[in-house]
Amino acid sequence: MPPKKDDSKGKPALIGITAPKDEDFPSWYQQVLTKGDMLEYYDVSGCYIMKPGSYSVWEKIQAWFDGNIKELGVQNAYFPMFVSSRVLEKEKDHVEGFAPEVAWVTKAGTTDLEEPIAIRPTSETVMYPYYAKWIRSHRDLPLKLNQWNSVVRWEFKHPQPFLRTREFLWQEGHTAFLTREEAEKEVLQILDLYARVYSELLAVPVIKGRKTEKEKFAGGFFTTTTEGYIPATGRGIQGATSHCLGQNFSKMFGITVEDPKNDGEKINIWQNSWGLSTRSIGVMVMVHGDDKGLVMPPRVAQTQVVVIPCGLTVKTTEEDKANIMAGVTEIAEVLKKAGVRVIADVRDNYSPGWKFSDWELKGVPLRLEFGPMDFKKKQTLAVRRANGKKESIALGDVAEAVPKLLEDIQAEMYAKAKASFDSHVIRVTEWDDFVPALNNKNLVQIPWCGVTECEDEIKDKSARQDGEEVDERAPSMGAKSLCIPFDQPEGIIKGETKCASCGRDAVEWCMFGRSY
Ligand code: 87F
């Protein structure tokens, strides 16, 4: 790309995104985040600074989700970030697989601690001893707590902003019920909220489903998930998970109540846990961003509209100039009153073109241009970030038209992402079609037998076979099962339809894909 011309005398030319999304996706992603003012790199590997541009998105997600779980009777609390080794060991069985990722504090200054203390990778072991203390009778149920916090998982795989970071923000909900029915009902209610965070706030479509036995949370009973799709890489990505833990943890931690029906009998309670993290922001950026930078969905955009004075030249009279500037300020004020998050960009040391590129880089969903002709015609020109569509709006209509336009943009962004996702979910019934479909950047749904060994085999068979090292970043990695979609396609006939991989009887459609 040729270097940009300096069009603002004395000011540096704005350096836009230099890596095309479809040619060098990793560099594109890094540039979009840093140049779009979302993120700054940090000097501890795997850790990043979330700047206001991204943190404000998290605040939108928080406000929406927090309001909705409170409707369900969930309360927020805060538990410590430190876990003693004794307590962490308590759920050895399921922690075992995760142990290499647990970070430990071993020193204070130069003094060795008597006992190393772990930093929470998740809070089951932190919270459940107190659930055992607090839940004494069925009258103490349901107990529904959530916390907004950060957790630390010291991963050694290649870190990626938002998607794989050593510390990340999330919410973790931990609920306890008397009965299985209540627990199972809530698992799906929460999953639905997660799907809505993606589709309604981030304009990112997801598929809801259940994890296979191999991919579920090992400590739980069953795991439900929202699965997303990154078109640029053709990989699936888990958006959030809602687990029914069954009675596994209540047995481990001795969380029992007396059976209200069966006098005196101790019964173990039923538990759920569920989490949504800042990974969601990375997914949003990857799905919507383009070669000019970020493209923010209006509902989560920190700035929804920017108003820019245009068409001012050396020949413009002072009076005209004053009219334009007053008009720009007025439009912004009207919009602010209408509840729109708006900025009037009245900086006089940058050209309109420079400002356009600057706000495009940051992904502001709508730009309003206001120049001498607009002043005469009592209108402003609206330009959509996502698709460049332009339309004039009469000044008198701005307060009403712009919020509508923003909702329209939100819907357009979702529809576009949905069409892309839908066209990349391929159903195949023959193994020969599986890897080619995967190689064409698709997720693949197959009639499947439900056997774990078959799942292992699919992963092996779909990885690159030519002996070249399989990098987890390269598209040659094997396919994992992503979920068994709740929304099952038709076509599986019991005892007749065969698993597309192993030929055993197929039980249901399962979605596979290379994934993050
Ligand atoms: C890493 C280190 C130690 C995931 C870990 O999904 C333990 C773990 O238990 C661990 N990584 N997990 C599973 C987390 C399960 C569950 N916790 C509450 C969630 C949602 C929120």
Side-chain angles (χ1 to χ4, degrees), residues 9 46 66 80 126 283 353 425 454:
K9 283 155 257 128
D66 203 64
V126 176
V283 177
V425 177
C454 173

Side-chain angles (χ1 to χ4, degrees), residues 94 98 101 121-122 124 153 170 174 217 241 243 273-275:
H94 107 262
F98 298 120
E101 293 176 9
T122 178
E124 281 81 356
R153 295 177 185 175
W170 75 351
H174 296 265
F217 173 34
T241 52
H243 312 283
S273 79
W274 25 273

Side-chain angles (χ1 to χ4, degrees), residues 92-164:
K92 231 188 189 138
D93 286 351
H94 107 262
V95 160
E96 211 163 43
F98 298 120
E101 293 176 9
V102 176
W104 294 87
V105 181
T106 58
K107 274 187 181 183
T110 53
T111 317
D112 286 337
L113 297 191
E114 225 163 83
E115 250 195 14
I117 291 172
I119 303 172
R120 64 178 168 218
T122 178
S123 299
E124 281 81 356
T125 54
V126 176
M127 296 166 84
Y128 297 168
Y130 297 89
Y131 279 39
K133 181 176 177 196
W134 298 335
I135 300 168
R136 280 292 146 92
S137 143
H138 66 271
R139 286 176 208 88
D140 300 322
L141 294 172
L143 177 61
K144 305 185 192 184
L145 298 183
N146 176 70
Q147 67 177 352
W148 293 96
N149 56 327
S150 79
V151 288
V152 171
R153 295 177 185 175
W154 214 258
E155 303 218 39
F156 291 94
K157 286 189 203 155
H158 185 67
Q160 272 221 306
F162 298 113
L163 302 199
R164 187 183 295 133

